[in-house]
């Protein structure tokens, strides 16, 4: 579309369900956006000469998740043995997983479909709880009591 190259276009917010699908249309990604695998902010950056514009994707969702958790839990060294329950496997869930990683928390995923959970980047995927056909049942690879001890 022409709005990408319009000189008045300065950037935009990206919402569900486009946080992952927009990525191929961008010139570069922040480290957070690349590691999370989702973008929620597009920023137009101009070269010093003003001749070339680049579209830079960033993810700020993780900061909105990280800051209140850090205020409550402390830094990564204080969270050994702690875990975060991540609901879903989309862009915001990926940001939550990245925030949990930055806080030193193990990630446990609860998602309706095994294939979607398997789509998470390997550096974000650790443990998973997956709902199968019956939403009243769940399976985990470790005893739930280990995670229930952690106060939130």
């Amino acid at each position: 579309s022409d709005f990408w190259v319009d000189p008045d276009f300065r950037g935009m917010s990206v919402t569900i369900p486009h946080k992952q699908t927009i990525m191929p249309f961008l010139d570069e990604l922040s480290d957070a956006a690349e590691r999370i695998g989702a973008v929620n902010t597009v920023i137009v950056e101009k070269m010093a000469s003003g001749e070339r514009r680049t579209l830079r994707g960033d993810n700020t969702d993780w900061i909105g998740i990280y800051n209140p958790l850090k205020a409550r839990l402390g830094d990564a060294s204080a969270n050994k043995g702690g875990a975060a329950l991540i609901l879903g496997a989309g862009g915001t869930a990926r940001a939550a997983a990245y925030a949990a990683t930055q806080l030193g928390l193990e990630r446990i995923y609860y998602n309706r479909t095994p294939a979607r959970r398997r789509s998470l980047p390997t550096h974000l995927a650790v443990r998973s709880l997956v709902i199968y056909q019956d939403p009243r049942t769940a399976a985990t690879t470790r005893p739930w009591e280990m995670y229930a001890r952690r106060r939130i």
Side-chain angles (χ1 to χ4, degrees):
S1 178
D2 292 338
F3 80 89
W4 290 107
V5 295
D6 188 309
D8 293 327
F9 176 67
R10 305 283 183 205
M12 64 185 191
S13 293
V14 180
T15 62
I16 297 169
H18 306 294
K19 292 181 180 190
Q20 292 169 272
T21 57
I22 194 168
M23 293 175 70
F25 299 100
L26 305 175
D27 298 312
E28 58 186 54
L29 299 172
S30 69
D31 182 57
E34 193 168 328
R35 293 192 52 79
I36 292 167
V39 166
N40 74 337
T41 305
V42 175
I43 305 153
V44 176
E45 295 179 341
K46 290 186 178 182
M47 301 301 274
S49 65
E51 293 177 18
R52 187 172 187 285
R53 295 167 21 123
T54 60
L55 298 174
R56 178 176 170 78
D58 197 3
N59 189 302
T60 59
D61 284 338
W62 80 273
I63 299 167
I65 297 164
Y66 173 88
N67 286 338
L69 288 176
K70 182 175 184 204
R72 176 75 171 106
L73 300 175
D75 65 19
S77 64
N79 295 315
K80 298 297 181 211
L85 176 62
I86 311 294
L87 304 176
T92 306
R94 291 165 182 247
Y98 182 76
T101 301
Q102 300 305 305
L103 290 165
L105 298 169
E106 186 170 358
R107 279 91 50 221
I108 305 167
Y109 294 92
Y110 187 79
N111 195 63
R112 291 173 302 189
T113 56
R116 184 75 170 141
R117 205 294 288 150
R118 284 191 297 272
S119 75
L120 289 166
T122 56
H123 63 274
L124 295 179
V126 177
R127 301 270 180 240
S128 64
L129 286 167
V130 181
I131 297 177
Y132 293 101
Q133 297 297 337
D134 183 351
R136 294 171 294 170
T137 61
T140 184
T141 58
R142 293 181 63 179
W144 182 254
E145 299 85 279
M146 290 184 70
Y147 303 108
R149 289 183 297 154
R150 180 75 180 157
R151 68 183 169 122
I152 296 179

